[in-house]
């Protein structure tokens, strides 16, 4: 599809909405439209009113949409938001009549719908009014609106427990025993990069020491720690113990309310590693099957079986963990609505505190054939997610956080479900951007959140293990700037 812009340069807004609605098309910007499918996005401003218009040709049928809003006197940020929404809304309204059915998230393309809902409530709307606004203004389906409002309520409740000097820590271990075919994270297999684990730990322990000194100097208090990856339990028990000891030695954990380690791959979990985690005070682990169907696991490159998941879960309970999360992914190769339902039923039978239901994300660089296949799977994924939601709610789980990704199959979402009072504090504060999070390790993105204004500033660590190791002397520089912005 060719698209043009007249009177504005909001290229990202136009592309984002077109991809949201037409994920299999290849978009090309041009100065003028020609034959075939095309979209013209036009923005004008007269007498303090901005007016957007979209004219779309799909399969020979031309449709138009217009929308306007007052912009006179708006501050620059509010002005940008207003015209961006106008452009996206008109493109949405022009394209949707050509679709078999509208997307369940309507015209919402952001990754944090609950943050949007929370903003509406904090500006004076009731939850009911915010829900109505999402349905009427953004055309969000009733089911997704309910998810959003629940997640917003959880975030607002946990927000009250965060003080002005409270922060969280993320520690990244970018190594895995093998790479799953759907993975988009920065991680290295042990076969390729296992020789870097020890020097990586050397550098990470140094970064821990330097970051902890900055935290003490800034008078900050650590509320939660999340060790993710990759697969942290790729490390052996001695390496894990070394990492955990470095964290405990350097940081004051007296105010810690949650300590999580992703022991995600069952084939990396042993009683010795679990004992090392418990000895260091870790209370929450993730054991992530992704599927409980052995054929699906083999197809996606997982080197474990469903039986291994059951073994690892039992070992975690025997080790004394009272909070366990288990991840699944809807839309995996070879999975069906029925086999996915059996996976959900099996996990419910185990009764972990948290079950996180992800939607398969299409890799950014996927070709059109892959994207078309994912789009064709929309109905199956929809049945998977709807069935999981019904089964989980019937079993007493409730949604506590959600987020979206731009390349998920069918444009759906990822939802964390939990038993009452077992919400993962880190997941909510990270996704809803409620507090400053310092990230240590390769690929870490630290965020300073100004709670009074919502202003966010970021600093990144080098992405890859070898780059990270080579940057050891300057890893603390970005965090110093975040913690001491006026120096």
């Amino acid at each position: 599809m060719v698209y043009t812009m007249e009177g504005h340069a909001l290229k990202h807004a136009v592309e984002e909405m077109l991809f949201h609605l037409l994920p299999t098309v290849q978009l090309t910007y041009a100065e003028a439209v020609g034959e075939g499918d095309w979209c013209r996005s036009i923005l004008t401003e007269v007498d303090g009113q901005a007016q957007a218009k979209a004219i779309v040709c799909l399969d020979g049928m031309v449709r138009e949409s217009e929308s306007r809003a007052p912009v006179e006197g708006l501050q620059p940020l509010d002005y940008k938001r207003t015209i961006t929404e106008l452009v996206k809304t008109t493109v949405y309204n022009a394209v949707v009549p050509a679709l078999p059915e509208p997307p369940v998230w309507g015209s919402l393309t952001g990754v944090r719908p609950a943050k949007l809902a929370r903003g509406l409530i904090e500006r004076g709307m009731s939850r009911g009014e915010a829900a109505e606004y999402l349905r009427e203004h953004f055309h969000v389906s009733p089911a997704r609106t309910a998810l959003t409002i629940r997640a917003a309520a959880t975030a607002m409740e946990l927000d009250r427990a965060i003080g002005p000097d409270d922060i969280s820590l993320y520690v990244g271990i970018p190594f895995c025993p093998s790479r799953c075919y759907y993975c988009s994270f920065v991680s290295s297999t042990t076969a390729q990069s296992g020789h870097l684990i020890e020097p990586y730990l050397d550098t990470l322990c140094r970064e821990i020491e330097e970051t902890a000194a900055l935290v003490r100097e800034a008078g900050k208090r650590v509320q939660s720690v999340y060790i993710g990856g990759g697969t942290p339990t790729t490390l052996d028990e001695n390496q894990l113990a070394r990492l955990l000891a470095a964290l405990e030695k350097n940081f004051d954990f007296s105010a810690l309310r949650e300590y999580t380690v992703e022991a995600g791959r069952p084939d990396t979990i042993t009683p010795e590693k679990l004992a090392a985690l418990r000895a260091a005070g870790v209370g929450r682990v993730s054991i992530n099957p992704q599927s409980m169907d052995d054929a699906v696991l083999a197809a996606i490159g997982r080197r474990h079986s469903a039986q291994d998941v059951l073994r690892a879960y039992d070992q975690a309970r025997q080790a004394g963990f009272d909070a366990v999360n288990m991840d699944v992914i809807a839309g995996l190769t070879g999975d069906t609505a029925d086999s996915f339902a059996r996976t959900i039923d099996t996990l419910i039978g185990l009764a972990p505190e948290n079950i996180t239901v992800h939607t398969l994300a299409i890799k950014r660089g996927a070709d059109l054939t892959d994207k078309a296949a994912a789009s064709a799977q929309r109905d199956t994924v929809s049945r998977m997610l709807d069935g999981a939601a019904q089964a989980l709610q019937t079993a007493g789980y409730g949604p506590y956080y959600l987020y979206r990704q731009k390349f998920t199959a069918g444009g759906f979402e990822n939802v964390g479900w939990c038993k009452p009072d077992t919400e993962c504090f880190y997941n909510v504060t990270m996704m809803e951007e409620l507090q400053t999070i310092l990230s240590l390790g390769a690929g870490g993105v630290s965020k300073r959140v100004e709670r009074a204004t919502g202003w966010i500033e970021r600093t990144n660590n080098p992405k890859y293990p070898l780059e990270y190791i080579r940057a050891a002397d300057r890893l603390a520089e970005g965090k110093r700037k975040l913690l001491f912005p006026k120096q």
Side-chain angles (χ1 to χ4, degrees):
M1 169 180 275
V2 171
Y3 71 94
T4 66
M5 298 180 297
E6 302 168 39
H8 71 88
L10 299 172
K11 184 176 181 180
H12 178 73
V14 176
E15 285 193 346
E16 188 174 50
M17 184 56 69
L18 287 173
F19 182 82
H20 172 59
L21 298 171
L22 304 167
T24 62
V25 304
Q26 186 169 3
L27 302 176
T28 303
Y29 172 74
E31 294 296 328
V33 299
E35 300 295 326
D37 293 343
W38 49 262
C39 171
R40 292 176 59 200
S41 175
I42 306 162
L43 183 68
T44 57
E45 186 176 332
V46 179
D47 297 330
Q49 288 270 330
Q51 177 174 309
K53 183 176 183 178
I55 309 172
V56 175
C57 178
L58 284 170
D59 298 325
M61 180 72 70
V62 178
R63 298 176 178 85
E64 298 184 12
S65 172
E66 293 186 13
S67 186
R68 65 183 64 197
V71 293
E72 187 172 7
L74 292 181
Q75 295 297 314
L77 183 58
D78 290 330
Y79 176 82
K80 179 71 175 294
R81 287 172 176 165
T82 299
I83 63 171
T84 299
E85 186 175 321
L86 284 176
V87 167
K88 293 173 74 170
T89 297
T90 54
V91 172
Y92 176 87
N93 288 335
V95 173
V96 159
L99 303 181
E101 59 183 2
V104 293
W105 284 102
S107 61
L108 274 187
T109 58
V111 300
R112 295 179 173 86
K115 187 175 182 179
L116 169 64
R118 185 160 46 89
L120 297 173
I121 296 168
E122 289 171 348
R123 289 193 292 272
M125 288 188 184
S126 68
R127 292 182 188 178
E129 290 169 337
E132 183 178 1
Y133 187 84
L134 292 176
R135 291 193 300 268
E136 298 297 322
H137 192 76
F138 293 105
H139 314 290
V140 180
S141 75
R144 266 55 184 191
T145 296
L147 277 178
T148 302
I149 297 300
R150 286 283 298 272
T154 300
M156 294 175 71
E157 180 180 351
L158 292 184
D159 187 46
R160 292 193 286 269
I162 301 172
D165 293 319
D166 290 336
I167 66 170
S168 287
L169 299 179
Y170 177 86
V171 182
I173 306 297
F175 300 98
C176 285
S178 64
R179 190 172 184 85
C180 301
Y181 89 88
Y182 55 79
C183 183
S184 60
F185 288 99
V186 176
S187 61
S188 303
T189 65
T190 51
Q192 293 174 322
S193 303
H195 64 285
L196 294 177
I197 290 179
E198 283 297 336
Y200 181 86
L201 282 177
D202 291 340
T203 306
L204 181 56
C205 287
R206 176 177 171 179
E207 188 186 12
I208 288 169
E209 183 177 355
E210 293 175 349
T211 301
L214 292 173
V215 168
R216 290 192 299 272
E217 184 181 349
K220 302 300 182 182
R221 188 176 75 155
V222 178
Q223 276 193 305
S224 71
V225 178
Y226 193 104
I227 303 178
T231 306
T233 43
T234 300
L235 306 182
D236 65 32
E237 57 269 27
N238 295 321
Q239 292 165 335
L240 281 171
R242 178 189 174 195
L243 169 62
L244 298 168
L247 288 165
E248 184 177 11
K249 175 184 176 182
N250 288 283
F251 286 100
D252 179 4
F253 284 167
S254 60
L256 202 64
R257 61 176 290 164
E258 181 181 270
Y259 200 160
T260 297
V261 173
E262 284 190 4
R265 296 279 292 260
D267 47 327
T268 68
I269 296 172
T270 67
E272 292 77 15
K273 293 179 185 180
L274 294 169
L277 299 181
R278 285 297 298 137
V282 176
R284 182 177 182 272
V285 291
S286 285
I287 299 171
N288 302 334
Q290 313 305 12
S291 170
M292 292 297 284
D293 185 300
D294 285 345
V296 174
L297 291 173
I300 64 175
R302 302 284 277 195
R303 294 180 178 175
H304 66 81
S305 66
Q307 189 60 41
D308 291 326
V309 176
L310 301 178
R311 170 195 55 76
Y313 181 84
D314 183 59
Q315 289 173 344
R317 289 305 197 193
Q318 289 185 31
F321 288 96
D322 56 9
V324 176
N325 171 71
M326 305 187 83
D327 283 6
V328 296
I329 299 178
L332 293 173
T333 298
D335 215 356
T336 67
D338 288 341
S339 58
F340 187 78
R342 289 193 292 272
T343 289
I344 294 295
D345 289 343
T346 299
L347 299 192
I348 289 173
L350 293 175
E353 283 65 35
N354 302 162
I355 296 176
T356 305
V357 180
H358 296 272
T359 303
L360 179 66
I362 310 164
K363 292 180 180 179
R364 183 181 296 267
D367 63 27
L368 294 181
T369 302
D370 292 336
K371 290 177 179 177
S375 181
Q377 210 177 7
R378 175 189 174 91
D379 290 343
T380 299
V381 174
S382 179
R383 295 203 308 274
M384 289 175 172
L385 297 178
D386 291 346
Q390 181 176 354
L392 287 161
Q393 290 180 88
T394 299
Y397 290 83
Y400 76 95
Y401 91 114
L402 71 96
Y403 66 100
R404 301 178 65 214
Q405 292 167 275
K406 293 180 181 179
F407 301 98
T408 51
F412 293 109
E413 69 286 331
N414 307 306
V415 181
W417 298 82
C418 70
K419 293 181 178 180
D421 299 322
T422 66
E423 301 90 348
C424 175
F425 177 84
Y426 174 85
N427 281 342
V428 176
T429 57
M430 178 271 299
M431 188 50 58
E432 296 301 311
E433 299 179 321
L434 299 179
Q435 68 175 174
T436 294
I437 294 179
L438 300 182
S439 293
L440 298 86
V445 179
S446 296
K447 295 182 184 180
R448 177 172 63 87
V449 177
E450 291 285 355
R451 285 174 54 77
T453 64
W455 177 258
I456 295 172
E457 187 174 350
R458 296 171 173 83
T459 185
N460 298 356
N461 277 357
K463 271 189 173 185
Y464 301 102
L466 187 57
E467 293 176 347
Y468 171 78
I469 293 166
R470 290 172 174 169
D473 291 338
R474 58 180 188 276
L475 293 172
E477 294 175 4
K479 295 181 182 62
R480 175 170 285 281
K481 291 178 182 178
L482 290 187
L483 292 173
F484 300 97
K486 297 179 181 180
Q487 287 187 359

